[in-house]
Amino acid sequence: QKEVEQDPGPLSVPEGAIVSLNCTYSNSAFQYFMWYRQYSRKGPELLMYTYSSGNKEDGRFTAQVDKSSKYISLFIRDSQPSDSATYLCAHRARSGGSNYKLTFGKGTLLTVNP
Amino acid sequence: GAGVSQSPSNKVTEKGKDVELRCDPISGHTALYWYRQSLGQGLEFLIYFQGNSAPDKSGLPSDRFSAERTGGSVSTLTIQRTQQEDSAVYLCASSWTHRIHYEQYFGPGTRLTVT
């Protein structure tokens, strides 16, 4: 079983839709969770970061973490064509010698159609 | 300010040749990472540099891969005797020490094609 599972999509939605992106993980040591956004031919950029169960909101984006189920989600409200990108979930362990290492999902390709 | 830069942006090489990929991190960032992103795969950690500490090379896939970081700034990833399976996008990222846990700034990557 891979440490991080993410549905690669592709996911295509109309403008204005609510988008739900998800990842599951198997390593209980993962305590910090991130979502990165990667536009075509660009490097990933940090979108959201959280370390606790529950919801964290930033504008149109909400990150949700359920540590008991080892499940994380990213919700995008009022999606825009500019949100079209690949979304990568990332995790890291809380402590230990390699706590700088992030484990990434394979990414979900999202297209928002005008 | 300037972000992480990488060169070349694209590299096509013949199987068996050596290649060098360059990364210029954001000024002041002490941590530097190399990742590999293959088609349909997630980011694969290759190597990590932090200040003057010994690098973590645990992600390098074979002894054909090596990397160095000179003067705590510019880094070069070298692949010797390239193979077709080395074809991928090689991404460099850098970070401040106190934010290495989550906030990494990525460059645009070098797209390597081995023919």
Side-chain angles (χ1 to χ4, degrees):
Chain A
Q1 181 184 11
K2 291 189 181 298
E3 284 195 299
V4 178
E5 298 277 1
Q6 184 176 9
D7 186 341
L11 183 60
S12 181
V13 301
E15 183 175 354
I18 296 175
V19 176
S20 172
L21 304 166
N22 310 293
C23 283
T24 59
Y25 62 97
S26 58
N27 189 343
S28 298
F30 288 147
Q31 296 289 328
Y32 293 78
F33 308 91
M34 289 132 276
W35 284 95
Y36 278 78
R37 178 175 61 195
Q38 185 175 22
Y39 290 114
S40 180
R41 301 277 176 161
K42 302 288 186 183
E45 57 179 336
L46 180 67
L47 198 57
M48 296 194 74
Y49 158 67
T50 184
Y51 57 86
S52 58
S53 284
N55 295 347
K56 180 178 181 180
E57 201 171 305
D58 184 1
R60 296 185 295 110
F61 299 88
T62 299
Q64 187 176 79
V65 176
D66 182 347
K67 291 185 179 179
S68 62
S69 303
K70 297 188 178 65
Y71 192 86
I72 70 168
S73 301
L74 178 71
F75 297 97
I76 307 174
R77 291 184 299 280
D78 187 25
S79 56
Q80 303 295 309
S82 59
D83 296 327
S84 298
T86 296
Y87 290 80
L88 301 155
C89 60
H91 312 69
R92 76 159 183 92
R94 177 179 180 180
S95 61
S98 301
N99 64 350
Y100 48 81
K101 281 188 181 178
L102 301 183
T103 302
F104 285 86
K106 292 184 179 182
T108 299
L109 176 61
L110 171 68
T111 300
V112 181
N113 302 298
Chain B
V4 177
S5 61
Q6 293 187 245
S7 60
S9 55
N10 286 283
K11 177 71 176 179
V12 180
T13 190
E14 292 180 353
K15 177 182 173 181
K17 300 284 189 182
D18 298 351
V19 295
E20 280 190 356
L21 312 179
R22 177 186 169 104
C23 171
D24 276 277
I26 292 173
S27 178
H29 281 192
T30 58
L32 187 148
Y33 306 75
W34 283 98
Y35 293 88
R36 180 168 68 176
Q37 188 174 32
S38 305
L39 190 63
Q41 301 297 315
L43 272 71
E44 175 188 10
F45 168 81
L46 296 178
I47 189 168
Y48 165 73
F49 295 92
Q50 172 60 281
N52 295 321
S53 301
D56 178 352
K57 305 179 182 181
S58 61
L60 295 178
S62 78
D63 59 8
R64 296 185 295 103
F65 288 72
S66 63
E68 63 178 20
R69 188 178 185 191
T70 55
S73 182
V74 172
S75 177
T76 302
L77 177 69
T78 301
I79 309 173
Q80 296 178 311
R81 304 181 302 281
T82 52
Q83 303 295 311
Q84 287 187 329
E85 60 263 28
D86 299 334
S87 296
V89 177
Y90 290 82
L91 291 159
C92 174
S94 69
S95 180
W96 286 287
T97 301
H98 64 285
R99 288 186 175 179
I100 61 172
H101 310 102
Y102 64 95
E103 190 166 27
Q104 299 180 16
Y105 292 82
F106 284 83
T110 293
R111 186 172 299 270
L112 175 66
T113 304
V114 182
T115 61

